[in-house]
Structures are given as C-alpha cells and as structure tokens.
Amino acid sequence: MANKVSSEPNVKQLLLECREAIKTAYIPYSKFAVGAAVETIDGVIYRGCNIENAAYTGCICAERTAMCKAVSDGITQFKAIAITSNMPAPDLIVPCGTCRQFIREFSTDLTIYLVRPDLTYEKTSLEALLPKSFGPQDLEKGVGK
Ligand code: THU
C-alpha cells in the first residue's frame, strides 16, 4: 500500500531545513543570511537561501529561492514555509513584500513559520501578512480588461 501523505506540515523538519539553508546564503553585501524551507503538498521539502548580486536589484530572497526550486520541478502547491535568519534571538524575520506576493501566487492557505535561531517560532498565515491580496483569480475576473 502506498504511504499516505499527511496534510499537516512536517514542522520539525521544516525548522531544521530552514536553519540548514542559511549555511549556503550568498551574502557578500548585507552579511544578513536568510534560510527558507518550503514543504510541497506531497511532503517534499525544498531549501532556499538568499543570493545577493553586485547590482543590488538582482538579489533574490531565501523564500523565493526555495519556491523557485519547487516550481521549476513542476510543483506549485504548498503546505508550509519556514523562514529564519542569522539575526540574534529573540528577533524574528518576516517575509518581505515581494516574497509575500510571490507566495500568494501559489497559495493563500499555507502555514508560515517565522523561526528564531534557537528554532523557537511563531506561526502565521499569508492572510495575516498579506490581507486583501491580488492574485490569479483577479485576472480571471477581468481586472485590467
Ligand atoms: N531577505 C530575504 O532573503 N528574505 C526576506 O524576506 C527579507 C530579506 C534577504 C535579502 C537580502 O539578501 C538580505 O536579506 C538583506 O535584505
């Protein structure tokens, strides 16, 4: 019998993987390392780190790196994302506006874990971080036509 995939996020693994992702952050400019781990609907976890660029607008955040890796593998449905940074506790990192909108493209109901370096965390939602958002369904309604 095939293993049934849990609909609940694998929180413990997400916490460990987002902290692991920090290690490969490419941050010559800000020195501010961020790690993310996103869990797909099938329970696969992709890591991502922030990757900076000498032309600063070319920087990509950890959240988008992780999600791009999944989407480029053809996966567009997600359960959860965990984000952490090398900031000292007790501060939490929250996704930037661009990342909130990027996540929103693929999911409005995923769980978001904001993780401290000691792996304590706060749980939040996209709805809380990006209320009244614009998304694919708005285009279907004919916005801009
Ligand atoms: N950063 C992220 O990776 N995720 C966020 O949500 C906020 C900011 C990165 C971008 C840049 O490399 C560094 O943090 C400082 O802004």
Side-chain angles (χ1 to χ4, degrees), residues 26-27 30-35 49-52 59-64 83-84 93-97 99-100:
Y26 178 77
I27 47 168
S30 74
K31 316 283 188 216
F32 186 95
V34 184
C49 60
N50 52 335
I51 304 169
E52 300 187 340
C59 294
I60 182 164
C61 294
E63 299 90 315
R64 279 177 287 141
I83 306 143
T84 195
I93 183 159
V94 290
C96 76
C99 286
R100 293 177 197 202

PDB file of all heavy atoms in Angstrom, residues 26-27 30-35 49-52 59-64 83-84 93-97 99-100, ligand 1:
ATOM      1  N   TYR A  26      24.404  33.397  -0.002  1.00  0.00           N
ATOM      2  CA  TYR A  26      25.452  34.153  -0.701  1.00  0.00           C
ATOM      3  C   TYR A  26      25.205  35.629  -0.388  1.00  0.00           C
ATOM      4  O   TYR A  26      24.337  36.276  -0.979  1.00  0.00           O
ATOM      5  CB  TYR A  26      25.369  33.876  -2.206  1.00  0.00           C
ATOM      6  CG  TYR A  26      26.388  34.661  -3.002  1.00  0.00           C
ATOM      7  CD1 TYR A  26      27.728  34.272  -3.037  1.00  0.00           C
ATOM      8  CD2 TYR A  26      26.006  35.813  -3.701  1.00  0.00           C
ATOM      9  CE1 TYR A  26      28.663  35.007  -3.747  1.00  0.00           C
ATOM     10  CE2 TYR A  26      26.941  36.544  -4.417  1.00  0.00           C
ATOM     11  CZ  TYR A  26      28.273  36.139  -4.433  1.00  0.00           C
ATOM     12  OH  TYR A  26      29.198  36.871  -5.143  1.00  0.00           O
ATOM     13  N   ILE A  27      25.947  36.141   0.599  1.00  0.00           N
ATOM     14  CA  ILE A  27      25.598  37.442   1.166  1.00  0.00           C
ATOM     15  C   ILE A  27      26.813  38.358   1.325  1.00  0.00           C
ATOM     16  O   ILE A  27      27.075  38.882   2.410  1.00  0.00           O
ATOM     17  CB  ILE A  27      24.923  37.240   2.547  1.00  0.00           C
ATOM     18  CG1 ILE A  27      25.732  36.246   3.410  1.00  0.00           C
ATOM     19  CG2 ILE A  27      23.481  36.768   2.370  1.00  0.00           C
ATOM     20  CD1 ILE A  27      25.333  36.201   4.860  1.00  0.00           C
ATOM     21  N   SER A  30      25.205  42.322   2.318  1.00  0.00           N
ATOM     22  CA  SER A  30      24.484  42.598   3.574  1.00  0.00           C
ATOM     23  C   SER A  30      25.015  41.795   4.755  1.00  0.00           C
ATOM     24  O   SER A  30      24.834  42.203   5.900  1.00  0.00           O
ATOM     25  CB  SER A  30      22.996  42.289   3.402  1.00  0.00           C
ATOM     26  OG  SER A  30      22.765  40.888   3.392  1.00  0.00           O
ATOM     27  N   LYS A  31      25.644  40.669   4.504  1.00  0.00           N
ATOM     28  CA  LYS A  31      26.063  39.728   5.564  1.00  0.00           C
ATOM     29  C   LYS A  31      24.870  39.242   6.378  1.00  0.00           C
ATOM     30  O   LYS A  31      25.009  38.794   7.512  1.00  0.00           O
ATOM     31  CB  LYS A  31      27.099  40.354   6.526  1.00  0.00           C
ATOM     32  CG  LYS A  31      28.198  41.126   5.873  1.00  0.00           C
ATOM     33  CD  LYS A  31      29.246  40.219   5.281  1.00  0.00           C
ATOM     34  CE  LYS A  31      30.437  41.030   4.805  1.00  0.00           C
ATOM     35  NZ  LYS A  31      31.032  40.504   3.585  1.00  0.00           N
ATOM     36  N   PHE A  32      23.708  39.363   5.823  1.00  0.00           N
ATOM     37  CA  PHE A  32      22.459  39.022   6.503  1.00  0.00           C
ATOM     38  C   PHE A  32      21.923  37.731   5.878  1.00  0.00           C
ATOM     39  O   PHE A  32      21.333  37.748   4.795  1.00  0.00           O
ATOM     40  CB  PHE A  32      21.484  40.189   6.322  1.00  0.00           C
ATOM     41  CG  PHE A  32      20.193  40.076   7.076  1.00  0.00           C
ATOM     42  CD1 PHE A  32      20.042  40.679   8.321  1.00  0.00           C
ATOM     43  CD2 PHE A  32      19.107  39.410   6.530  1.00  0.00           C
ATOM     44  CE1 PHE A  32      18.841  40.600   9.005  1.00  0.00           C
ATOM     45  CE2 PHE A  32      17.896  39.335   7.209  1.00  0.00           C
ATOM     46  CZ  PHE A  32      17.771  39.925   8.457  1.00  0.00           C
ATOM     47  N   ALA A  33      22.208  36.618   6.541  1.00  0.00           N
ATOM     48  CA  ALA A  33      21.846  35.321   5.950  1.00  0.00           C
ATOM     49  C   ALA A  33      20.400  34.961   6.264  1.00  0.00           C
ATOM     50  O   ALA A  33      19.941  35.137   7.395  1.00  0.00           O
ATOM     51  CB  ALA A  33      22.769  34.235   6.488  1.00  0.00           C
ATOM     52  N   VAL A  34      19.712  34.492   5.254  1.00  0.00           N
ATOM     53  CA  VAL A  34      18.330  34.044   5.429  1.00  0.00           C
ATOM     54  C   VAL A  34      18.215  32.635   4.854  1.00  0.00           C
ATOM     55  O   VAL A  34      18.805  32.319   3.817  1.00  0.00           O
ATOM     56  CB  VAL A  34      17.333  34.994   4.716  1.00  0.00           C
ATOM     57  CG1 VAL A  34      15.885  34.567   4.995  1.00  0.00           C
ATOM     58  CG2 VAL A  34      17.543  36.442   5.168  1.00  0.00           C
ATOM     59  N   GLY A  35      17.446  31.808   5.558  1.00  0.00           N
ATOM     60  CA  GLY A  35      17.186  30.447   5.079  1.00  0.00           C
ATOM     61  C   GLY A  35      15.690  30.190   5.066  1.00  0.00           C
ATOM     62  O   GLY A  35      14.959  30.674   5.932  1.00  0.00           O
ATOM     63  N   CYS A  49      18.193  29.769   0.031  1.00  0.00           N
ATOM     64  CA  CYS A  49      18.914  30.814   0.770  1.00  0.00           C
ATOM     65  C   CYS A  49      18.826  32.109  -0.021  1.00  0.00           C
ATOM     66  O   CYS A  49      18.452  32.095  -1.196  1.00  0.00           O
ATOM     67  CB  CYS A  49      20.372  30.423   0.953  1.00  0.00           C
ATOM     68  SG  CYS A  49      21.235  30.196  -0.620  1.00  0.00           S
ATOM     69  N   ASN A  50      19.175  33.228   0.610  1.00  0.00           N
ATOM     70  CA  ASN A  50      19.238  34.474  -0.163  1.00  0.00           C
ATOM     71  C   ASN A  50      20.538  34.512  -0.972  1.00  0.00           C
ATOM     72  O   ASN A  50      21.584  34.004  -0.552  1.00  0.00           O
ATOM     73  CB  ASN A  50      19.051  35.727   0.701  1.00  0.00           C
ATOM     74  CG  ASN A  50      19.950  35.816   1.910  1.00  0.00           C
ATOM     75  OD1 ASN A  50      20.424  34.807   2.429  1.00  0.00           O
ATOM     76  ND2 ASN A  50      20.183  37.021   2.370  1.00  0.00           N
ATOM     77  N   ILE A  51      20.422  35.076  -2.157  1.00  0.00           N
ATOM     78  CA  ILE A  51      21.543  35.140  -3.102  1.00  0.00           C
ATOM     79  C   ILE A  51      21.657  36.581  -3.574  1.00  0.00           C
ATOM     80  O   ILE A  51      20.753  37.097  -4.256  1.00  0.00           O
ATOM     81  CB  ILE A  51      21.298  34.197  -4.306  1.00  0.00           C
ATOM     82  CG1 ILE A  51      21.058  32.749  -3.834  1.00  0.00           C
ATOM     83  CG2 ILE A  51      22.478  34.262  -5.287  1.00  0.00           C
ATOM     84  CD1 ILE A  51      20.563  31.801  -4.909  1.00  0.00           C
ATOM     85  N   GLU A  52      22.743  37.230  -3.166  1.00  0.00           N
ATOM     86  CA  GLU A  52      22.877  38.656  -3.490  1.00  0.00           C
ATOM     87  C   GLU A  52      23.648  38.857  -4.790  1.00  0.00           C
ATOM     88  O   GLU A  52      24.206  37.929  -5.375  1.00  0.00           O
ATOM     89  CB  GLU A  52      23.525  39.372  -2.306  1.00  0.00           C
ATOM     90  CG  GLU A  52      22.656  39.211  -1.059  1.00  0.00           C
ATOM     91  CD  GLU A  52      23.107  40.017   0.142  1.00  0.00           C
ATOM     92  OE1 GLU A  52      24.286  40.442   0.199  1.00  0.00           O
ATOM     93  OE2 GLU A  52      22.254  40.228   1.034  1.00  0.00           O
ATOM     94  N   CYS A  59      19.287  40.842  -6.335  1.00  0.00           N
ATOM     95  CA  CYS A  59      19.240  39.949  -5.172  1.00  0.00           C
ATOM     96  C   CYS A  59      17.935  39.157  -5.151  1.00  0.00           C
ATOM     97  O   CYS A  59      16.886  39.666  -5.532  1.00  0.00           O
ATOM     98  CB  CYS A  59      19.319  40.763  -3.881  1.00  0.00           C
ATOM     99  SG  CYS A  59      20.894  41.606  -3.658  1.00  0.00           S
ATOM    100  N   ILE A  60      18.025  37.926  -4.696  1.00  0.00           N
ATOM    101  CA  ILE A  60      16.803  37.131  -4.515  1.00  0.00           C
ATOM    102  C   ILE A  60      16.748  36.626  -3.074  1.00  0.00           C
ATOM    103  O   ILE A  60      17.772  36.238  -2.505  1.00  0.00           O
ATOM    104  CB  ILE A  60      16.682  35.980  -5.538  1.00  0.00           C
ATOM    105  CG1 ILE A  60      15.359  35.223  -5.337  1.00  0.00           C
ATOM    106  CG2 ILE A  60      17.861  35.037  -5.477  1.00  0.00           C
ATOM    107  CD1 ILE A  60      14.947  34.335  -6.490  1.00  0.00           C
ATOM    108  N   CYS A  61      15.562  36.690  -2.514  1.00  0.00           N
ATOM    109  CA  CYS A  61      15.366  36.278  -1.119  1.00  0.00           C
ATOM    110  C   CYS A  61      15.316  34.757  -1.001  1.00  0.00           C
ATOM    111  O   CYS A  61      15.007  34.043  -1.968  1.00  0.00           O
ATOM    112  CB  CYS A  61      14.057  36.845  -0.577  1.00  0.00           C
ATOM    113  SG  CYS A  61      14.025  38.640  -0.452  1.00  0.00           S
ATOM    114  N   ALA A  62      15.547  34.288   0.215  1.00  0.00           N
ATOM    115  CA  ALA A  62      15.553  32.849   0.503  1.00  0.00           C
ATOM    116  C   ALA A  62      14.211  32.194   0.180  1.00  0.00           C
ATOM    117  O   ALA A  62      14.173  31.080  -0.366  1.00  0.00           O
ATOM    118  CB  ALA A  62      15.886  32.640   1.978  1.00  0.00           C
ATOM    119  N   GLU A  63      13.125  32.889   0.502  1.00  0.00           N
ATOM    120  CA  GLU A  63      11.789  32.314   0.280  1.00  0.00           C
ATOM    121  C   GLU A  63      11.566  32.039  -1.202  1.00  0.00           C
ATOM    122  O   GLU A  63      11.054  30.990  -1.600  1.00  0.00           O
ATOM    123  CB  GLU A  63      10.699  33.283   0.756  1.00  0.00           C
ATOM    124  CG  GLU A  63      10.730  33.626   2.220  1.00  0.00           C
ATOM    125  CD  GLU A  63      11.585  34.845   2.524  1.00  0.00           C
ATOM    126  OE1 GLU A  63      12.716  34.959   1.987  1.00  0.00           O
ATOM    127  OE2 GLU A  63      11.124  35.684   3.311  1.00  0.00           O
ATOM    128  N   ARG A  64      11.937  33.018  -2.022  1.00  0.00           N
ATOM    129  CA  ARG A  64      11.725  32.845  -3.464  1.00  0.00           C
ATOM    130  C   ARG A  64      12.677  31.804  -4.045  1.00  0.00           C
ATOM    131  O   ARG A  64      12.315  31.070  -4.962  1.00  0.00           O
ATOM    132  CB  ARG A  64      11.826  34.190  -4.186  1.00  0.00           C
ATOM    133  CG  ARG A  64      10.517  34.978  -4.067  1.00  0.00           C
ATOM    134  CD  ARG A  64      10.593  36.329  -4.703  1.00  0.00           C
ATOM    135  NE  ARG A  64      11.399  37.244  -3.910  1.00  0.00           N
ATOM    136  CZ  ARG A  64      12.242  38.143  -4.380  1.00  0.00           C
ATOM    137  NH1 ARG A  64      12.419  38.257  -5.680  1.00  0.00           N
ATOM    138  NH2 ARG A  64      12.898  38.938  -3.572  1.00  0.00           N
ATOM    139  N   ILE A  83      10.946  30.219   7.720  1.00  0.00           N
ATOM    140  CA  ILE A  83      11.971  31.211   7.374  1.00  0.00           C
ATOM    141  C   ILE A  83      12.762  31.568   8.620  1.00  0.00           C
ATOM    142  O   ILE A  83      12.175  31.797   9.687  1.00  0.00           O
ATOM    143  CB  ILE A  83      11.288  32.499   6.839  1.00  0.00           C
ATOM    144  CG1 ILE A  83      10.345  32.178   5.680  1.00  0.00           C
ATOM    145  CG2 ILE A  83      12.330  33.522   6.394  1.00  0.00           C
ATOM    146  CD1 ILE A  83       9.098  33.038   5.691  1.00  0.00           C
ATOM    147  N   THR A  84      14.068  31.639   8.467  1.00  0.00           N
ATOM    148  CA  THR A  84      14.899  32.055   9.598  1.00  0.00           C
ATOM    149  C   THR A  84      16.081  32.882   9.104  1.00  0.00           C
ATOM    150  O   THR A  84      16.315  32.990   7.900  1.00  0.00           O
ATOM    151  CB  THR A  84      15.373  30.827  10.418  1.00  0.00           C
ATOM    152  OG1 THR A  84      15.875  31.273  11.674  1.00  0.00           O
ATOM    153  CG2 THR A  84      16.452  30.037   9.696  1.00  0.00           C
ATOM    154  N   ILE A  93      12.449  36.996  11.647  1.00  0.00           N
ATOM    155  CA  ILE A  93      12.424  37.570  10.310  1.00  0.00           C
ATOM    156  C   ILE A  93      11.031  37.348   9.722  1.00  0.00           C
ATOM    157  O   ILE A  93      10.427  36.303   9.934  1.00  0.00           O
ATOM    158  CB  ILE A  93      13.510  36.975   9.395  1.00  0.00           C
ATOM    159  CG1 ILE A  93      13.470  37.673   8.036  1.00  0.00           C
ATOM    160  CG2 ILE A  93      13.418  35.455   9.272  1.00  0.00           C
ATOM    161  CD1 ILE A  93      14.716  37.571   7.233  1.00  0.00           C
ATOM    162  N   VAL A  94      10.545  38.342   9.023  1.00  0.00           N
ATOM    163  CA  VAL A  94       9.267  38.196   8.314  1.00  0.00           C
ATOM    164  C   VAL A  94       9.543  38.346   6.824  1.00  0.00           C
ATOM    165  O   VAL A  94      10.474  39.056   6.427  1.00  0.00           O
ATOM    166  CB  VAL A  94       8.227  39.246   8.769  1.00  0.00           C
ATOM    167  CG1 VAL A  94       7.751  38.962  10.178  1.00  0.00           C
ATOM    168  CG2 VAL A  94       8.769  40.658   8.635  1.00  0.00           C
ATOM    169  N   PRO A  95       8.755  37.695   5.967  1.00  0.00           N
ATOM    170  CA  PRO A  95       8.992  37.810   4.520  1.00  0.00           C
ATOM    171  C   PRO A  95       8.776  39.234   4.021  1.00  0.00           C
ATOM    172  O   PRO A  95       7.871  39.925   4.497  1.00  0.00           O
ATOM    173  CB  PRO A  95       7.937  36.873   3.910  1.00  0.00           C
ATOM    174  CG  PRO A  95       7.362  36.090   5.016  1.00  0.00           C
ATOM    175  CD  PRO A  95       7.637  36.810   6.293  1.00  0.00           C
ATOM    176  N   CYS A  96       9.611  39.648   3.092  1.00  0.00           N
ATOM    177  CA  CYS A  96       9.456  40.976   2.506  1.00  0.00           C
ATOM    178  C   CYS A  96       8.179  41.014   1.647  1.00  0.00           C
ATOM    179  O   CYS A  96       7.575  39.973   1.355  1.00  0.00           O
ATOM    180  CB  CYS A  96      10.682  41.349   1.676  1.00  0.00           C
ATOM    181  SG  CYS A  96      10.749  40.524   0.075  1.00  0.00           S
ATOM    182  N   GLY A  97       7.801  42.191   1.243  1.00  0.00           N
ATOM    183  CA  GLY A  97       6.567  42.351   0.460  1.00  0.00           C
ATOM    184  C   GLY A  97       6.587  41.569  -0.839  1.00  0.00           C
ATOM    185  O   GLY A  97       5.581  40.960  -1.234  1.00  0.00           O
ATOM    186  N   CYS A  99       8.213  38.835  -1.493  1.00  0.00           N
ATOM    187  CA  CYS A  99       8.058  37.398  -1.207  1.00  0.00           C
ATOM    188  C   CYS A  99       6.624  37.069  -0.821  1.00  0.00           C
ATOM    189  O   CYS A  99       6.106  36.011  -1.192  1.00  0.00           O
ATOM    190  CB  CYS A  99       9.023  36.963  -0.108  1.00  0.00           C
ATOM    191  SG  CYS A  99      10.720  36.858  -0.705  1.00  0.00           S
ATOM    192  N   ARG A 100       5.975  37.956  -0.072  1.00  0.00           N
ATOM    193  CA  ARG A 100       4.568  37.700   0.281  1.00  0.00           C
ATOM    194  C   ARG A 100       3.739  37.566  -0.988  1.00  0.00           C
ATOM    195  O   ARG A 100       2.910  36.672  -1.120  1.00  0.00           O
ATOM    196  CB  ARG A 100       4.021  38.843   1.147  1.00  0.00           C
ATOM    197  CG  ARG A 100       4.688  38.899   2.503  1.00  0.00           C
ATOM    198  CD  ARG A 100       4.209  40.059   3.361  1.00  0.00           C
ATOM    199  NE  ARG A 100       5.164  40.269   4.433  1.00  0.00           N
ATOM    200  CZ  ARG A 100       4.919  40.868   5.580  1.00  0.00           C
ATOM    201  NH1 ARG A 100       3.706  41.350   5.836  1.00  0.00           N
ATOM    202  NH2 ARG A 100       5.854  40.997   6.487  1.00  0.00           N
TER     203      ARG A 100
HETATM  204  N1  THU B   1      15.969  38.765   2.614  1.00  0.00           N
HETATM  205  C1  THU B   1      15.430  37.518   2.417  1.00  0.00           C
HETATM  206  O1  THU B   1      16.107  36.583   1.980  1.00  0.00           O
HETATM  207  N2  THU B   1      14.111  37.350   2.721  1.00  0.00           N
HETATM  208  C2  THU B   1      13.284  38.329   3.183  1.00  0.00           C
HETATM  209  O2  THU B   1      12.094  38.118   3.294  1.00  0.00           O
HETATM  210  C3  THU B   1      13.844  39.617   3.565  1.00  0.00           C
HETATM  211  C4  THU B   1      15.217  39.900   3.092  1.00  0.00           C
HETATM  212  C5  THU B   1      17.375  38.969   2.250  1.00  0.00           C
HETATM  213  C6  THU B   1      17.571  39.805   1.017  1.00  0.00           C
HETATM  214  C7  THU B   1      18.964  40.350   1.242  1.00  0.00           C
HETATM  215  O3  THU B   1      19.905  39.409   0.736  1.00  0.00           O
HETATM  216  C8  THU B   1      19.104  40.429   2.734  1.00  0.00           C
HETATM  217  O4  THU B   1      18.046  39.639   3.274  1.00  0.00           O
HETATM  218  C9  THU B   1      19.003  41.824   3.307  1.00  0.00           C
HETATM  219  O5  THU B   1      17.853  42.460   2.876  1.00  0.00           O
END
